[in-house]
Amino acid sequence: MATMTTTAPALRRKRLRERLRTLGFLSPWLVGFTVFFGYPLVATVYFSFMHYNQIKAPTFVGLRNWRYVLEQMPLFGPALWNTLWLVVVMVALRVVFGLGIGLLITKIKSGAGFFRTAFYLPYLAPPVAATVAFVFLLNPATGPVNDILGKVGIDAPNWFNDPAWAKPSLVLLSLWGIGDLMVIFMAALLDVPKEQYEAAELDGAGAFTKFRYVTWPSITPIVMFAVVTGVVQTMQYYTQALVAGKLASGVSIGPGTVIEPGYPDHSTLTVPQLVYSLGFQNFNTGAACVLSLVLFAIAMAVTTLLMRRRAGLLSADD
């Protein structure tokens, strides 16, 4: 009985030391999570119920900011539609295009290093510089792309100056910088066991059958990774759309210049642009926080849906 009484405090001390050691290992992540995610999220929720212009002290206004954003803000609908359109179209085409380029380069017998470098280099270009170059190339009046299309008899569009072509032009810009996904998919494709391909060939499988039953099951986790990260990144799409709209509008940009984002006709306006415009140009912090929370909720919902096995990207064994 005395031994059991003596052992119990010792076990409690041992468990306490183990928990403290585990907490010590987790502390860098806990500090980072609290500082860079937990506190900003709580502060965003708090300011969404406040009237705050970043000068005077915030005052409680209840659901007024939420009603303004969801019921009265005229640009909320177009910005949300543009963001969701880019998420669906841009992410899907980037995954398909990146996988296709990766497949082609892994099948090339000679010159694979050249093509791999050629496709990867555009990804290294800074977003602003790449957007400026694309707006120049697709300029309907002076750009070389429309000039070449006109010489071969094709009626070229106005690209970034046409509301119907502005978002597809941004998609073309994103496909030009497909090098990141290409490298990821190439690594996944090269990791597929060759023995499985040899066994499929012995069974008389063709190229499509081998891709369907050998390649695809092996790379589905990478496809899932590319889709989820692509959705999260595109929900935060800001720089390229803003720069392209400002340059295509032809308005000179100088110190103190304030330009409404979304040119032409709000076709390139995204929710992050609207958040910046409300929060840092109009100093309506409460409405900007509401938009941020709506964007966060949509991103979490889409990501959760994709992460579920029934989304079809992962089998039950993965």
Side-chain angles (χ1 to χ4, degrees), residues 44-66:
T44 302
V45 174
Y46 170 77
F47 285 117
S48 68
F49 298 101
M50 300 290 173
H51 172 71
Y52 181 45
N53 59 5
Q54 304 179 25
I55 298 176
K56 298 181 180 179
T59 56
F60 181 75
V61 293
L63 296 176
R64 186 182 304 173
N65 292 324
W66 290 86

Side-chain angles (χ1 to χ4, degrees), residues 6-186:
T6 306
T7 305
L11 287 175
R12 285 196 295 268
R13 287 194 297 269
K14 182 179 179 181
R15 291 172 182 172
L16 179 61
R17 287 195 300 269
E18 291 176 351
R19 291 172 182 172
L20 291 176
R21 183 167 57 248
T22 303
L23 185 62
F25 284 118
L26 288 175
S27 58
W29 180 87
L30 292 174
V31 172
F33 179 85
T34 303
V35 174
F36 298 107
F37 181 79
Y39 170 75
L41 180 60
V42 173
T44 302
V45 174
Y46 170 77
F47 285 117
S48 68
F49 298 101
M50 300 290 173
H51 172 71
Y52 181 45
N53 59 5
Q54 304 179 25
I55 298 176
K56 298 181 180 179
T59 56
F60 181 75
V61 293
L63 296 176
R64 186 182 304 173
N65 292 324
W66 290 86
R67 286 194 295 267
Y68 169 70
V69 170
L70 300 178
E71 299 176 3
Q72 303 174 14
M73 182 181 292
L75 296 180
F76 174 67
L80 183 60
W81 162 252
N82 293 335
T83 302
L84 296 178
W85 189 97
L86 290 172
V87 167
V88 174
V89 177
M90 186 180 292
V91 173
L93 290 180
R94 275 180 57 84
V95 171
V96 172
F97 196 73
L99 179 57
I101 296 297
L103 281 169
L104 288 175
I105 293 180
T106 54
K107 300 299 182 182
I108 294 177
K109 301 299 181 181
S110 60
F114 168 77
F115 288 104
R116 184 169 59 246
T117 303
F119 279 105
Y120 186 73
L121 280 178
Y123 171 72
L124 300 178
V128 174
T131 307
V132 170
F134 238 71
V135 173
F136 168 75
L137 292 174
L138 300 180
N139 188 296
T142 60
V145 174
N146 279 19
D147 187 44
I148 295 173
L149 292 177
K151 290 180 179 179
V152 298
I154 298 177
D155 188 13
N158 287 329
W159 302 110
F160 288 105
N161 294 91
D162 186 351
W165 279 93
K167 287 191 290 292
S169 301
L170 293 174
V171 174
L172 290 177
L173 173 60
S174 69
L175 295 180
W176 179 66
I178 200 66
D180 56 337
L181 287 185
M182 178 202 68
V183 171
I184 293 174
F185 282 127
M186 282 182 59

Side-chain angles (χ1 to χ4, degrees), residues 99 103 107 185 188-190 192-193 196-197 207-221 223:
L99 179 57
L103 281 169
K107 300 299 182 182
F185 282 127
L189 292 168
L190 294 174
V192 179
Q196 296 184 11
Y197 287 120
F208 177 78
T209 304
K210 286 190 290 185
F211 177 82
R212 172 65 180 85
Y213 293 102
V214 177
T215 305
W216 182 255
S218 299
I219 67 172
T220 44
V223 176

